Amino acid sequence: MGLIIAIDGPAASGKGTLARRLADTYRLNHLDTGLTYRAVAHRMLIHGLPLDNQSAAETAARQIDLGALDRTVLSAHEIGEAASKVAVMPRVRAALVEAQRRFANQPPGAVLDGRDIGTVVCPDADLKLYVTASPQERAHRRYTEIIANGGTADEAAILADIERRDARDMGRADSPLRPAADAHLLDTTTMDIEAAFRAARDLVDQAIAARSAD
Ligand code: DC
């Protein structure tokens, strides 16, 4: 069985960047599971289907091709909002979790990031990280990113969005966002990405050493 690293955390916590860099460094497959929920939401929006139509959303979830997730299209803000709505439906989650587990079990191992990786998708992962930062800091990072890309944004509106999304992701009945009991907490509020990456890499190295000691 390959090495499996589970990374969870709220929107804009930096977990995606960390996951990508860890996968590159340790030559593991990488899946941003948020994209799978976004792909379902995108199909529902394209077909004009109500976001709470569980049967249609489950069908869409069963048809998602993990190899064809287009981040450029799926990263749109309204798709993220819609994804957080389709993600409350248990049949959608069951279908996506099945595909995510198949992905995780392919050699040489994988880094998966999302909201329920350590708690539900890969409860036996070799390492679980819960990456977080204050809502204000996450809003500020997103604002800076948009401005740096030449866009315009309202930081207070971004903060309100982040708080609404956190409430939905943490408050749902099925697989709410929360740290697994055995997750390592990485609060990046006052850490830059390099410091967060170094801390994560130390934890991965320890997990690899623990595997070879078994
Ligand atoms: O990480 P993201 O913004 O791409 O995720 C979009 C939404 O998908 C998020 O608000 C909740 C949902 N999601 C989930 O419920 N479980 C996951 N493992 C990943 C994402």
Side-chain angles (χ1 to χ4, degrees):
M1 180 86 143
L3 186 78
I4 297 184
I5 303 175
I7 306 187
D8 291 301
S13 59
K15 63 182 188 309
T17 308
L18 265 188
R20 254 192 311 280
R21 288 191 59 175
L22 289 176
D24 282 351
T25 304
Y26 294 93
R27 302 193 188 290
L28 298 167
N29 297 324
H30 171 231
L31 180 63
D32 170 356
T33 61
L35 290 180
T36 65
Y37 290 89
R38 285 171 181 261
V40 173
H42 185 225
R43 286 211 184 186
M44 301 292 283
L45 293 171
I46 283 179
H47 296 294
L49 292 160
L51 292 173
D52 61 354
N53 182 335
Q54 181 154 212
S55 297
E58 182 189 2
T59 304
R62 297 213 174 272
Q63 290 168 350
I64 296 300
D65 174 359
L66 296 193
L69 299 168
D70 185 346
R71 176 179 300 279
T72 329
V73 172
L74 298 176
S75 63
H77 177 70
E78 56 282 8
I79 299 181
E81 268 295 298
S84 155
K85 291 180 185 156
V86 302
V88 305
M89 295 184 285
R91 279 158 50 199
V92 172
R93 303 200 67 84
L96 292 179
V97 166
E98 205 180 299
Q100 293 161 7
R101 284 191 183 135
R102 270 201 306 275
F103 181 93
N105 289 322
Q106 281 162 15
V111 182
L112 283 83
D113 68 278
R115 304 288 189 290
D116 62 340
I117 310 303
T119 50
V120 175
V121 181
C122 301
D124 298 325
D126 297 283
L127 176 68
K128 299 179 185 179
L129 299 179
Y130 189 84
V131 185
T132 184
S134 69
Q136 290 74 14
E137 175 61 22
R138 287 185 279 134
H140 186 64
R141 286 180 195 163
R142 185 134 290 171
Y143 172 80
T144 315
E145 187 184 312
I146 297 170
I147 299 301
N149 289 327
T152 51
D154 171 354
E155 193 165 334
I158 296 175
L159 177 60
D161 262 10
I162 281 185
E163 288 177 332
R164 198 173 49 238
R165 184 98 81 84
D166 282 359
R168 199 181 292 131
D169 293 347
M170 293 173 183
R172 67 178 176 232
D174 186 356
S175 318
L177 169 64
R178 61 177 176 80
D182 52 351
H184 297 265
L185 298 187
L186 206 57
D187 184 334
T188 67
T189 306
T190 59
M191 247 186 223
D192 63 16
I193 182 65
E194 286 308 320
F197 179 62
R198 275 197 305 275
R201 218 177 39 192
D202 286 347
L203 291 166
V204 177
D205 290 340
Q206 286 167 26
I208 292 173
R211 262 165 74 94
S212 29
D214 275 348

